[in-house]
Each structure stands twice: as C-alpha cells, then as structure tokens.
C-alpha cells in the first residue's frame, strides 16, 4: 500500500459513512431484507436485485419490494424484523478492504475525519468503540431524529455545525445516492464507493465521483487539496 503524501494546509475533512462504506455488511443487510420478505410473504431477493432498487426513503422502497402498502403498524414490525436479523449477522461483518489502514494514513497526513451514519445512534456508538475506531474520529453520530424525507442531509448539517466545519472543505464518502444528495445539500462534496448497497450505474447517475474502495476515495481526495 502506498504511503499517503502529507496533507496541504486547510486539508479537507472527511465525513465517513459506516454501513457499506467502512463496514462490509452487504450480506447482513441482504439477510435482513429477506427476513422481512419471508414475514410478509415475498420470495427472497438476490443481492444484484436489491442493489438495483434500494433507496431512501425506506418506506416506499420496501413497499415496492413487497408489492403493497404497509398497513398501520406494519412498517414498525418490518423494522424490528430487519434489525433482529441484521444483528444476528453483525458479528460476521468485517471492515472494508483497507480499513482501518486508510484511516491511520489520512490522520497521519494531517487530515481530520468523522463518522456519520443513518444507523441509530445508540446502535452505532458502541459498535465503533468495540471495533477500536474511536480514536480516528473527531465525532461519531448516528441517526438521532427522524426527517421528512428520510435523508442524511439534515443529519449532515447538524454533524458539521457541531464541529464548526466549513462545508466547502468537507468531503462525504458514502455508498448510496442519498450520500451524494446530502453532501450537496449541506454544501460539501461527495465521493461514492461502489462496494455498498447501490449498483455502480446508479451511483454514477448522481454525477458524483465513483470509486471502488475507501482507499481509492482518499486517493482521489488528494486531488482536491
């Protein structure tokens, strides 16, 4: 692995996504989706299919998957089924290729970084600590409130404001189109990795830079600084 060159003054701050970006958990996500399918009478789906349809907001995405609208209380039931199944597989999820080396390298070059996920804050914080990743990040935030459009955008605004960061010096590295949308709405730049829950062609349709791995994303980021 090539060593990262020293960061220039006013180096970009990276906001990392977690699921599908730093954590390789596609198989756990698919198992959880299929657990929902089983409980709602739908045949299981393959990963290529799920990566072709997954999107936020989640409720209409799952209604399309199941072929019907949710009745009162059914979305909450689906969420519980998903979460329970995902947690069963969580121990089998490894960090993405090149992680945590890329975090060490970026910090060593003088850059700063934080983590923002749409996973619940209560779930996320202990998980990051258990993986020994806390020291890399200036802040770790999960989902703390609900938003009208089920997007990361408002969460990102709060995340940056709490750190007094200039959005124009921030790059969000994520794995779905909502990461690109959130970055742009907050005034930051997106880089997307094609290893997560969304097919490459869908990521490319956002107009954001699309790369294969977190390491590739940081290598590309050096062109911005």
């Amino acid at each position: 692995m090539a060593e990262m060159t020293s960061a220039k003054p006013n180096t970009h701050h990276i906001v990392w996504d977690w699921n599908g970006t730093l954590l390789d958990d596609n198989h756990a996500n698919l198992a959880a989706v299929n657990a929902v399918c089983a409980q709602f009478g739908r045949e299981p789906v393959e990963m290529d299919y799920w990566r072709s349809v997954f999107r936020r907001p989640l409720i209409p995405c799952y209604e399309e998957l199941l072929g019907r609208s949710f009745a009162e209380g059914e979305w909450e039931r689906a969420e519980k089924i998903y979460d329970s199944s995902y947690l069963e597989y969580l121990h089998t999820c490894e960090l993405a290729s090149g992680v945590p080396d890329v975090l060490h390298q970026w910090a060593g070059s003088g850059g700063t970084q934080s983590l923002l996920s749409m996973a619940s804050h209560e779930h996320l914080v202990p998980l990051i600590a258990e993986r020994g990743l806390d020291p890399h990040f200036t802040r770790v935030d999960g989902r703390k409130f609900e938003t009208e459009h089920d997007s990361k955008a408002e969460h990102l605004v709060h995340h940056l404001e709490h750190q007094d960061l200039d959005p124009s010096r921030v790059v969000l590295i994520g794995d779905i189109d909502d990461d690109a949308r959130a970055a742009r709405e907050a005034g930051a730049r997106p880089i997307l990795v094609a290893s997560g829950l969304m097919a490459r062609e869908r990521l490319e349709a956002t107009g954001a830079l699309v790369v294969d791995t977190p390491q590739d994303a940081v290598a590309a980021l050096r062109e911005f600084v």
Side-chain angles (χ1 to χ4, degrees):
M1 183 185 304
E3 290 188 4
M4 190 172 298
T5 58
S6 296
K8 300 177 184 178
N10 299 318
T11 297
H12 283 77
H13 176 92
I14 297 174
V15 176
W16 291 98
D17 175 54
W18 177 239
N19 303 96
T21 302
L22 293 180
L23 185 69
D24 181 7
D25 64 346
N26 282 358
H27 65 289
N29 279 305
L30 185 65
V33 167
N34 281 327
V36 173
C37 288
Q39 290 296 315
F40 283 84
R42 202 248 196 244
E43 291 296 314
V45 298
E46 299 292 334
M47 179 60 76
D48 285 348
Y49 173 79
W50 186 235
R51 295 182 80 232
S52 74
V53 300
F54 173 77
R55 68 184 186 280
R56 289 186 176 278
L58 291 179
I59 291 178
C61 174
Y62 274 81
E63 287 180 333
E64 178 182 322
L65 172 70
L66 300 175
R68 67 174 180 84
S69 299
F70 285 116
E72 184 176 353
E74 285 191 323
W75 171 240
E76 291 75 14
R77 177 184 164 215
E79 284 188 301
K80 289 179 180 178
I81 294 168
Y82 180 97
D83 290 345
S84 176
S85 177
Y86 180 87
L87 289 174
E88 289 182 15
Y89 285 87
L90 182 57
H91 73 280
T92 69
C93 299
E94 302 288 343
L95 295 175
S97 177
V99 180
D101 290 347
V102 69
L103 305 180
H104 283 290
Q105 291 177 336
W106 182 247
S109 73
T112 58
Q113 55 201 327
S114 56
L115 191 149
L116 175 64
S117 172
M118 289 293 279
S120 73
H121 189 71
E122 294 75 14
H123 162 80
L124 178 72
V125 171
L127 182 60
I128 301 304
E130 290 168 7
R131 302 268 177 161
L133 299 178
D134 273 354
H136 296 293
F137 303 120
T138 56
R139 186 178 180 91
V140 174
D141 283 327
R143 189 183 70 251
K144 297 178 180 178
F145 54 89
E146 300 303 321
T147 61
E148 180 181 356
H149 300 293
D150 188 27
S151 172
K152 185 178 280 186
E154 290 182 47
H155 299 272
L156 180 59
V157 170
H158 284 266
H159 185 75
L160 300 183
E161 287 178 347
H162 280 298
Q163 300 182 83
D164 196 26
L165 289 169
D166 176 358
S168 69
R169 303 301 302 172
V170 172
V171 169
L172 187 151
I173 301 177
D175 72 310
I176 66 171
D177 56 4
D178 185 59
D179 291 310
R181 182 183 310 116
R184 287 167 174 152
E185 289 186 16
R189 295 189 187 189
I191 299 178
L192 303 178
V193 295
S195 54
L197 277 184
M198 194 162 280
R200 178 180 284 271
E201 57 268 23
R202 298 180 65 202
L203 299 179
E204 291 174 344
T206 69
L209 176 64
V210 180
V211 297
D212 292 327
T213 68
Q215 290 172 303
D216 294 335
V218 172
L221 173 55
R222 279 189 276 171
E223 298 180 7
F224 296 164
V225 298

